[in-house]
Amino acid sequence: MKTYTPRPRDIERRWYLIDAGGVILGRLATQVAAILRGKHKPIFAPHMDTGDHVVVVNASGVRLTGGKEEKKLARRHSGYPGGLTETTYTRLLATRPAFAVEKAVRGMLPKNSLGRAMIGKLKVYAGPEHPHRAQNPERLSLGQVPTWSGLPKAPPVARTGLQSKAPPKRSETRPASAGPRAKRSAAKRTTAKSTSKASAAKSQPAKRTTAKVATTKRTTGSASGVKTPTRKSSAKQSPARRKKKGE
């Protein structure tokens, strides 16, 4: 089993319109905060902003119960000593009704960058008019939960990156030897012939040296007084043989 986590492409933003005329401020703030967080969606995640846009009109018509108009105070501090300012909600609703609604909704959102992103989707107006007709917001009554069926369909994402190409298949039959390979084999043959000729040329001087060694031995033997037997040529023996025949 895998845990589902919403992705930015799965989030679909819608617009809703709520009329705050005669509505209690606390109940209005809880419903608006739930829609801003996206708790009405099946893909809700507390660590992501999955909510929708909310437009609140007639903010000057909100009311408080239990005498909170005079008891409840809106406080603000400037940061300097003695810079505390307190305002009753009777005066705040008469002068800045949109700020009163925003302040109530902001107190019900996370106190971090996520909450600041959520409050940016809230549009509050003191009167019945609003400049968001182009978005065609859906009208909601107090206590009505927006309907969602299943997960939203993500739009198709165009792939602009480089697609990996499959490597080309190698053919089973190998091609014949190309020109460069034939030239290399011919060069090898010529080098082999040249090496064989060089070896033969080296072997011939070796025989000549052996002949020279034999002649030197003969000359040294004659110089030392050793008589070497000589053979008579056949031309000198032939006249003697002729005389014997004539006799």
Side-chain angles (χ1 to χ4, degrees):
M1 182 177 179
K2 295 182 180 180
T3 303
Y4 174 77
T5 300
R7 291 170 290 183
R9 66 181 183 182
D10 298 335
I11 300 172
E12 181 184 354
R13 309 286 187 188
R14 296 182 183 179
W15 288 75
Y16 296 100
L17 177 65
I18 299 178
D19 188 359
V23 179
I24 299 175
L25 180 60
R27 295 181 181 180
L28 175 66
T30 53
Q31 182 176 357
V32 172
I35 296 174
L36 292 176
R37 292 192 64 187
K39 298 190 74 172
H40 60 287
K41 297 182 180 181
I43 63 171
F44 168 73
H47 65 282
M48 291 190 68
D49 182 14
T50 60
D52 297 327
H53 298 269
V54 180
V55 180
V56 179
V57 295
N58 295 324
S60 59
V62 297
R63 61 190 182 88
L64 298 174
T65 58
K68 297 187 185 68
E69 296 87 351
E70 297 296 335
K71 296 178 183 179
K72 189 175 179 65
L73 300 175
R75 296 182 175 89
R76 181 180 64 84
H77 202 284
S78 64
Y80 292 94
L84 180 64
T85 303
E86 296 179 348
T87 307
T88 61
Y89 267 79
T90 302
R91 182 180 178 182
L92 187 64
L93 291 175
T95 56
R96 301 175 64 188
F99 176 76
V101 176
E102 290 178 2
K103 183 178 177 62
V105 175
R106 191 188 297 271
M108 298 183 181
L109 295 176
K111 310 304 186 293
N112 50 22
S113 59
L114 187 63
R116 291 189 290 273
M118 292 175 180
I119 198 63
K121 301 193 299 293
L122 175 63
K123 313 296 180 183
V124 184
Y125 301 96
E129 299 296 330
H130 64 87
H132 304 287
R133 299 185 184 277
Q135 283 73 26
N136 193 16
E138 181 182 352
R139 187 177 292 274
L140 294 177
S141 59
L142 187 64
Q144 183 181 357
V145 180
T147 57
W148 279 85
S149 59
L151 299 176
K153 294 182 180 180
V157 181
R159 297 181 179 179
T160 57
L162 298 175
Q163 297 181 358
S164 60
K165 296 182 180 179
K169 295 182 179 180
R170 296 182 178 178
S171 59
E172 295 181 357
T173 59
R174 293 184 179 180
S177 59
R181 292 185 179 178
K183 291 181 180 179
R184 290 177 185 175
S185 59
K188 288 182 180 179
R189 291 174 184 174
T190 53
T191 52
K193 289 181 180 180
S194 61
T195 52
S196 60
K197 289 181 180 180
S199 59
K202 289 181 180 179
S203 61
Q204 290 177 359
K207 293 180 179 179
R208 293 175 183 175
T209 53
T210 53
K212 288 181 179 180
V213 171
T215 53
T216 52
K217 286 183 179 180
R218 289 176 183 175
T219 52
T220 52
S222 60
S224 59
V226 179
K227 294 183 179 179
T228 56
T230 57
R231 294 181 181 180
K232 295 181 179 180
S233 61
S234 60
K236 293 180 179 181
Q237 294 177 1
S238 59
R241 290 180 181 179
R242 288 176 183 176
K243 288 180 179 181
K244 288 182 181 181
K245 289 180 181 182
E247 293 176 358

